[in-house]
Amino acid sequence: MTDPSSDLAVNRAVWTVINEEFTDERAHDAWAARDFTWGLFGVPERDLGVLGDVADLDVIELGCGTAYVSAWLARLGARPVAVDLTPAQLDTARRCQELFGITFALIEANAEEVPLPDDSFDLAISEYGACVWCDPERWVPETARLLRPGGRLVFLTNSVQVTTCVPEQGGYAEDRLLRPQRGPARVQWPGGGIEFHPSHGEWIRVLAESGFVVEALHELYAPDHAKTPAYYDIATAEWARKWPVEDLWVARLTSGSPRSSTGT
Ligand SMILES: C[S@@+](CC[C@H](N)C(=O)[O-])C[C@H]1O[C@@H](n2cnc3c(N)ncnc32)[C@H](O)[C@@H]1O
């Protein structure tokens, strides 16, 4: 039996180190980027059209890191609120807010228990945030509680293919299956944090149990010109041109959906 509070402590410690090694330095360029792109290989949103018009939407970003996704959404006219567990990541986000003159609420919280009222948002988004680092059985119902009926949940996470092709000891995905798909979604790579990688069927079950209907699953490949990312050793560009490296889910909360136990 795992202790969720120790998972939080491990993940906060991991992200404090990653902030020092990489994300703090990278944040300026990410905030400065004018195009909304998805994932490790920068697939343009204009090619996918996942978000549609976000102007005037209340948006919550769950596991925002340095909050560049929220900054892009703010530039498009949305009203983001960004939640993250790790103070160092939020400190970087705060510095970028001042530098770029884009401000929105930054909340230090566990995305499985967000201290905000029910029915507050039109769109919930997570790019490698809560959708990787939180237990789906907890953050998905919590997101349903936060969304208004008809609201959307959009999240990008590692593909099922890539998580089954990464060696047990971590490192770049290989061109064969190296890990079982069957078994618990909870994974800890050596020296890494605690992640959750459900199968497609499990995602659909968890989403449906919280009242979401899946509208799309975009399987993202690296664009032709893309280069292998410098810091995250998950998949090379060559690998990601052949197999989907990321799953981008779009789900809508149906009205009258079941609510989490923390909801009213
Ligand atoms: C990969 S970053 C996501 C941000 C950004 N989109 C990116 O790709 O760099 C993952 C973030 O999830 C946060 N995180 C991990 N566990 C969390 C939790 N339980 N609640 C909220 N945020 C969490 C970490 O602190 C980290 O900043």
Side-chain angles (χ1 to χ4, degrees):
M1 184 72 186
T2 55
D3 171 9
S5 66
S6 76
D7 282 4
L8 293 185
V10 168
N11 285 347
R12 194 185 288 110
V14 163
W15 280 100
T16 303
V17 171
I18 297 176
N19 177 270
E20 205 178 306
E21 287 180 352
F22 178 66
T23 58
D24 181 70
E25 199 182 321
R26 185 203 167 216
H28 181 278
D29 287 353
W31 272 66
R34 288 286 152 172
D35 285 341
F36 194 119
T37 58
W38 290 104
L40 290 173
F41 295 94
V43 177
E45 161 62 14
R46 66 173 175 275
D47 291 351
L48 296 174
V50 164
L51 292 174
D53 183 3
V54 295
D56 285 327
L57 296 188
D58 292 310
V59 182
I60 185 158
E61 185 181 2
L62 296 164
C64 63
T66 58
Y68 55 84
V69 167
S70 285
W72 299 343
L73 289 165
R75 279 203 195 99
L76 294 171
R79 289 182 294 273
V81 170
V83 174
D84 201 278
L85 183 69
T86 307
Q89 293 277 76
L90 294 172
D91 287 347
T92 302
R94 226 166 272 119
R95 192 188 73 229
C96 289
Q97 287 196 337
E98 281 170 27
L99 209 62
F100 287 88
I102 300 173
T103 48
F104 45 83
L106 293 167
I107 298 177
E108 183 186 327
N110 175 7
E112 298 165 343
E113 288 176 319
V114 179
L116 291 172
D118 297 359
D119 297 339
S120 301
F121 296 96
D122 307 299
L123 173 65
I125 192 163
S126 175
E127 192 217 22
Y128 281 121
C131 55
V132 173
W133 303 94
C134 294
D135 184 345
E137 308 284 352
R138 303 190 70 204
W139 79 268
V140 172
E142 179 64 347
T143 305
R145 183 186 72 75
L146 292 165
L147 282 173
R148 299 178 179 126
R152 278 179 303 154
L153 166 59
V154 175
F155 63 94
L156 176 127
T157 186
N158 302 106
S159 70
V160 173
Q161 282 92 336
V162 86
T163 52
T164 49
C165 291
V166 166
E168 289 288 340
Q169 68 277 15
Y172 290 106
E174 298 183 13
D175 60 357
R176 62 203 170 96
L177 297 171
L178 294 168
R179 303 168 65 87
Q181 179 174 324
R182 191 175 191 180
R186 187 180 178 282
V187 175
Q188 184 168 20
W189 311 110
I194 288 96
E195 305 182 15
F196 293 85
H197 296 290
S199 66
H200 289 159
E202 280 294 289
W203 274 124
I204 290 167
R205 177 189 62 74
V206 172
L207 289 164
E209 282 177 4
S210 288
F212 287 102
V213 171
V214 174
E215 292 192 336
L217 168 57
H218 300 271
E219 297 166 302
L220 303 192
Y221 296 83
D224 289 344
H225 60 270
K227 294 199 168 59
T228 299
Y231 183 80
Y232 297 115
D233 55 349
I234 298 168
T236 63
E238 189 192 2
W239 190 99
R241 276 192 276 274
K242 292 186 203 152
W243 293 282
V245 69
E246 288 157 333
D247 288 341
L248 176 56
W249 290 87
V250 183
R252 192 174 293 276
L253 188 65
T254 54
S255 51
S257 59
R259 292 308 176 101
S260 74
S261 55
T262 54
T264 49

